[in-house]
PDB file of all heavy atoms in Angstrom:
ATOM      1  N   CYS A 527     -23.967 -28.258 -21.180  1.00  0.00           N
ATOM      2  CA  CYS A 527     -24.688 -29.521 -21.148  1.00  0.00           C
ATOM      3  C   CYS A 527     -23.902 -30.555 -21.950  1.00  0.00           C
ATOM      4  O   CYS A 527     -23.416 -30.251 -23.034  1.00  0.00           O
ATOM      5  CB  CYS A 527     -26.075 -29.340 -21.759  1.00  0.00           C
ATOM      6  SG  CYS A 527     -26.951 -30.883 -21.984  1.00  0.00           S
ATOM      7  N   ASN A 529     -25.052 -32.934 -23.570  1.00  0.00           N
ATOM      8  CA  ASN A 529     -25.810 -33.357 -24.757  1.00  0.00           C
ATOM      9  C   ASN A 529     -26.066 -32.243 -25.749  1.00  0.00           C
ATOM     10  O   ASN A 529     -26.383 -32.493 -26.893  1.00  0.00           O
ATOM     11  CB  ASN A 529     -27.178 -33.918 -24.360  1.00  0.00           C
ATOM     12  CG  ASN A 529     -27.077 -34.936 -23.257  1.00  0.00           C
ATOM     13  OD1 ASN A 529     -26.199 -35.777 -23.266  1.00  0.00           O
ATOM     14  ND2 ASN A 529     -27.970 -34.833 -22.279  1.00  0.00           N
ATOM     15  N   CYS A 530     -26.010 -31.008 -25.273  1.00  0.00           N
ATOM     16  CA  CYS A 530     -26.408 -29.900 -26.128  1.00  0.00           C
ATOM     17  C   CYS A 530     -25.298 -28.858 -26.119  1.00  0.00           C
ATOM     18  O   CYS A 530     -24.540 -28.765 -25.180  1.00  0.00           O
ATOM     19  CB  CYS A 530     -27.685 -29.244 -25.615  1.00  0.00           C
ATOM     20  SG  CYS A 530     -28.992 -30.414 -25.251  1.00  0.00           S
ATOM     21  N   ILE A 532     -24.937 -25.839 -25.280  1.00  0.00           N
ATOM     22  CA  ILE A 532     -25.439 -24.646 -24.633  1.00  0.00           C
ATOM     23  C   ILE A 532     -25.121 -24.740 -23.145  1.00  0.00           C
ATOM     24  O   ILE A 532     -25.026 -25.843 -22.605  1.00  0.00           O
ATOM     25  CB  ILE A 532     -26.958 -24.500 -24.904  1.00  0.00           C
ATOM     26  CG1 ILE A 532     -27.434 -23.104 -24.569  1.00  0.00           C
ATOM     27  CG2 ILE A 532     -27.769 -25.541 -24.154  1.00  0.00           C
ATOM     28  CD1 ILE A 532     -28.319 -22.540 -25.630  1.00  0.00           C
ATOM     29  N   CYS A 545     -30.204 -28.146 -17.936  1.00  0.00           N
ATOM     30  CA  CYS A 545     -30.234 -27.793 -19.352  1.00  0.00           C
ATOM     31  C   CYS A 545     -31.681 -27.536 -19.767  1.00  0.00           C
ATOM     32  O   CYS A 545     -32.551 -28.374 -19.543  1.00  0.00           O
ATOM     33  CB  CYS A 545     -29.654 -28.904 -20.219  1.00  0.00           C
ATOM     34  SG  CYS A 545     -29.897 -28.595 -21.976  1.00  0.00           S
ATOM     35  N   TYR A 547     -32.868 -27.358 -22.696  1.00  0.00           N
ATOM     36  CA  TYR A 547     -33.273 -28.003 -23.945  1.00  0.00           C
ATOM     37  C   TYR A 547     -33.558 -29.471 -23.772  1.00  0.00           C
ATOM     38  O   TYR A 547     -34.516 -29.995 -24.310  1.00  0.00           O
ATOM     39  CB  TYR A 547     -32.228 -27.767 -25.030  1.00  0.00           C
ATOM     40  CG  TYR A 547     -32.302 -26.367 -25.509  1.00  0.00           C
ATOM     41  CD1 TYR A 547     -31.589 -25.349 -24.882  1.00  0.00           C
ATOM     42  CD2 TYR A 547     -33.171 -26.025 -26.541  1.00  0.00           C
ATOM     43  CE1 TYR A 547     -31.705 -24.042 -25.284  1.00  0.00           C
ATOM     44  CE2 TYR A 547     -33.300 -24.724 -26.952  1.00  0.00           C
ATOM     45  CZ  TYR A 547     -32.563 -23.717 -26.328  1.00  0.00           C
ATOM     46  OH  TYR A 547     -32.703 -22.438 -26.725  1.00  0.00           O
ATOM     47  N   CYS A 548     -32.700 -30.203 -23.004  1.00  0.00           N
ATOM     48  CA  CYS A 548     -32.913 -31.646 -22.923  1.00  0.00           C
ATOM     49  C   CYS A 548     -33.282 -32.077 -21.510  1.00  0.00           C
ATOM     50  O   CYS A 548     -33.594 -33.234 -21.268  1.00  0.00           O
ATOM     51  CB  CYS A 548     -31.681 -32.399 -23.386  1.00  0.00           C
ATOM     52  SG  CYS A 548     -30.314 -32.325 -22.235  1.00  0.00           S
ATOM     53  N   GLY A 549     -33.231 -31.153 -20.547  1.00  0.00           N
ATOM     54  CA  GLY A 549     -33.648 -31.512 -19.199  1.00  0.00           C
ATOM     55  C   GLY A 549     -32.542 -32.107 -18.344  1.00  0.00           C
ATOM     56  O   GLY A 549     -32.741 -32.426 -17.181  1.00  0.00           O
ATOM     57  N   PHE A 550     -31.339 -32.258 -18.916  1.00  0.00           N
ATOM     58  CA  PHE A 550     -30.212 -32.787 -18.137  1.00  0.00           C
ATOM     59  C   PHE A 550     -30.015 -31.941 -16.878  1.00  0.00           C
ATOM     60  O   PHE A 550     -30.129 -30.726 -16.915  1.00  0.00           O
ATOM     61  CB  PHE A 550     -28.940 -32.740 -18.999  1.00  0.00           C
ATOM     62  CG  PHE A 550     -27.676 -33.079 -18.254  1.00  0.00           C
ATOM     63  CD1 PHE A 550     -27.274 -34.400 -18.116  1.00  0.00           C
ATOM     64  CD2 PHE A 550     -26.907 -32.074 -17.667  1.00  0.00           C
ATOM     65  CE1 PHE A 550     -26.114 -34.714 -17.424  1.00  0.00           C
ATOM     66  CE2 PHE A 550     -25.752 -32.387 -16.971  1.00  0.00           C
ATOM     67  CZ  PHE A 550     -25.354 -33.708 -16.848  1.00  0.00           C
ATOM     68  N   ASN A 764     -29.639 -32.346 -27.361  1.00  0.00           N
ATOM     69  CA  ASN A 764     -29.873 -33.734 -27.007  1.00  0.00           C
ATOM     70  C   ASN A 764     -29.071 -34.705 -27.878  1.00  0.00           C
ATOM     71  O   ASN A 764     -29.590 -35.693 -28.369  1.00  0.00           O
ATOM     72  CB  ASN A 764     -31.376 -34.032 -27.134  1.00  0.00           C
ATOM     73  CG  ASN A 764     -31.813 -34.970 -26.047  1.00  0.00           C
ATOM     74  OD1 ASN A 764     -30.977 -35.500 -25.305  1.00  0.00           O
ATOM     75  ND2 ASN A 764     -33.099 -35.212 -25.947  1.00  0.00           N
TER      76      ASN A 764
HETATM   77 ZN1   ZN B  12     -29.058 -30.490 -22.839  1.00  0.00          ZN
END
Side-chain angles (χ1 to χ4, degrees):
C527 172
N529 311 317
C530 311
I532 195 135
C545 172
Y547 286 88
C548 72
F550 172 86
N764 217 352

